[in-house]
Amino acid sequence: MRSVPMWALASSGFAPVFLIMGWLSAAALQGPPYDPAAQTISVLAAPGNSGSWVMTAAFVALGFCHLLTAWGLRPAATAGRMALAAGGVAALTVAVFPAPSSGGSLSHGSVAAVGFAVLAAWPVLAARAGTAVPWALRPFPSLGATAVMAAGATWFLIELHLQGAAGVAERAVTTLQSVWPFVVVVSCLRESLREGSPG
């Protein structure tokens, strides 16, 4: 099994940190008018908002983290690595096409939808069979991760349609999508250490 470079641990580990610190900092700069339970994180990056530069920077950092992790995640199937990289490109594109401060945006909504889809699909696309495969790349955990992410994305769409707790749902699913690459990298590194240990 091909090894994962140690820098992939940093790129995957910093992804959720950049995302979460980005929305927390941007919301603090935005102040009371912003409702994190009901409003999406994309609203924070809308032009004219106080914290837009922070959230935009967070999207850019997240995108580069996913791209680097996809490059370094050599034990994963190629289709999964490509889907993770596509998720990184989607995050970068979201920064280029921010949501408007009010109303909707077809370009932003389309890119965000693609991002949700590829980041939900990448775990199962990255899966490999075999006893030497790291735990997080085995079919059952990978399918479980994809199923939970897909359910989270569906929950978010329902809340968005009902004008309910869309912010809560989005934060839940994006946190999971940003953390799972780190779980996979740690799983791969642990397998490499196990294979390299004597006896």
Side-chain angles (χ1 to χ4, degrees):
M1 184 64 64
R2 300 178 70 187
S3 61
V4 174
M6 286 301 296
W7 53 258
L9 187 65
S11 64
S12 61
F14 278 119
V17 174
F18 286 138
L19 179 64
I20 295 169
M21 290 305 297
W23 80 49
L24 289 175
S25 301
L29 289 170
Q30 186 66 14
Y34 179 74
D35 180 2
Q39 292 179 281
T40 67
I41 58 178
S42 293
V43 171
L44 292 168
N49 285 345
S50 303
S52 62
W53 64 275
V54 176
M55 199 64 242
T56 299
F59 284 140
V60 171
L62 176 68
F64 278 117
C65 283
H66 283 336
L67 286 169
L68 285 171
T69 303
W71 183 24
L73 203 53
R74 294 177 292 209
T78 302
R81 295 174 70 189
M82 290 177 64
L84 179 58
V89 172
L92 293 171
T93 309
V94 162
V96 175
F97 296 103
S101 54
S102 61
S105 167
L106 181 60
S107 58
H108 176 82
S110 300
V111 171
V114 169
F116 272 118
V118 295
L119 288 175
W122 92 266
V124 75
L125 294 175
R128 289 186 179 275
T131 55
V133 174
W135 171 83
L137 285 175
R138 293 176 186 172
F140 185 73
S142 299
L143 180 60
T146 288
V148 172
M149 291 179 198
T154 302
W155 174 36
F156 168 61
L157 290 174
I158 291 170
E159 294 292 344
L160 198 61
H161 178 72
L162 296 176
Q163 297 183 341
V168 174
E170 184 185 33
R171 281 163 175 77
V173 68
T174 55
T175 297
L176 178 59
Q177 288 181 336
S178 66
V179 168
W180 186 251
F182 177 72
V183 173
V184 176
V185 168
V186 169
S187 175
C188 291
L189 290 172
R190 287 188 64 185
E191 184 65 23
S192 295
L193 288 173
R194 191 185 66 81
E195 288 178 354
S197 62

